Amino acid sequence: MPSLFLVSQNQSHKYEFQHKLLWSPKLNRKHGRNPGYVNMSHVRRGDIIFHVFNQKIHAVSVAKYDVYSSPKPLAYDGNIWDDDGWRVDCDMYKLEIPLSDHREWLNAHKGEVFDKNGRLKQQYLFELNQEQKNYFWHLIPSKLMESLLIDSTTSTTKVPNLREVGKSLSKKRVIGNNQIWIHDLIQ
């Protein structure tokens, strides 16, 4: 199964959407390691990426190639980021999914990605854990997810079914609109 990532594109969303890519420096301003930038080095061809801007999922994409070293785009010259960076080229599909519709579930499953209020933490790229991965699979229409998987992999990939996601939700006693909304979306 491909890895699933969530990218927070506040400063860079316009350029990255226009050019269908992710770019981050390899090191932070103090030349130290940053978890979001380190996660960029883990992206491989076929991985699925959820693009978040302004607390909404605005797109889902599949990595066209493994991550590679790339200089900072000229459009970022005014930024204080290092010139040496990571780049991932993507096939991108636009969506509009407000994270606020899923705040209750996100709050109950915060981990490294979401804070105690179910809001996305400040970091460029997160790798989703298995429970988050199962939930996020079902935030996008199943036909789109199937086409992402078919186009990006050569092996058969099993998407968890709603019952498997429901089991993971019921462990945390999350019920209500989120589960219903997901069920309606994938029918």
Side-chain angles (χ1 to χ4, degrees), residues 100-116:
S100 60
D101 290 354
H102 306 277
R103 193 80 65 221
E104 184 180 351
W105 191 91
L106 298 174
N107 181 25
H109 300 81
K110 47 191 164 268
E112 294 180 18
V113 183
F114 301 97
D115 67 17
K116 66 181 180 177

Side-chain angles (χ1 to χ4, degrees), residues 77-162:
D77 272 348
N79 292 321
I80 53 176
W81 296 319
D82 276 353
D83 288 334
D84 188 24
W86 297 115
R87 179 173 167 156
V88 176
D89 298 312
C90 307
D91 283 327
M92 208 174 281
Y93 304 86
K94 293 193 179 206
L95 298 172
E96 272 302 312
I97 301 173
L99 290 176
S100 60
D101 290 354
H102 306 277
R103 193 80 65 221
E104 184 180 351
W105 191 91
L106 298 174
N107 181 25
H109 300 81
K110 47 191 164 268
E112 294 180 18
V113 183
F114 301 97
D115 67 17
K116 66 181 180 177
N117 299 314
R119 293 193 176 277
L120 185 62
K121 290 183 179 178
Q122 188 173 349
Q123 181 173 302
Y124 181 67
L125 187 71
F126 298 92
E127 187 165 1
L128 299 177
N129 66 33
Q130 190 60 49
E131 194 170 38
Q132 293 162 341
K133 192 186 282 193
N134 289 346
Y135 188 84
F136 274 77
W137 277 120
H138 293 286
L139 289 182
I140 63 174
S142 58
K143 295 281 187 205
L144 175 56
M145 182 56 80
E146 289 170 16
S147 72
L148 290 173
L149 294 173
I150 290 168
D151 290 345
S152 66
T153 62
T154 55
S155 61
T156 303
T157 302
K158 181 184 180 293
V159 176
N161 65 35
L162 187 61

Side-chain angles (χ1 to χ4, degrees), residues 27-94:
L27 301 172
N28 65 23
R29 286 186 282 188
K30 297 177 182 178
H31 302 287
R33 294 172 64 89
N34 173 303
Y37 303 157
V38 170
N39 285 340
M40 279 286 286
S41 69
H42 300 158
V43 179
R44 299 291 174 257
R45 179 183 175 272
D47 286 345
I48 307 293
I49 303 151
F50 291 91
H51 301 258
V52 175
F53 170 68
N54 201 21
Q55 294 292 320
K56 291 182 184 173
I57 299 172
H58 281 277
V60 62
S61 67
V62 61
K64 291 168 65 171
Y65 315 104
D66 290 352
V67 63
Y68 59 93
S69 290
S70 174
K72 178 171 60 177
L74 294 175
Y76 293 176
D77 272 348
N79 292 321
I80 53 176
W81 296 319
D82 276 353
D83 288 334
D84 188 24
W86 297 115
R87 179 173 167 156
V88 176
D89 298 312
C90 307
D91 283 327
M92 208 174 281
Y93 304 86
K94 293 193 179 206

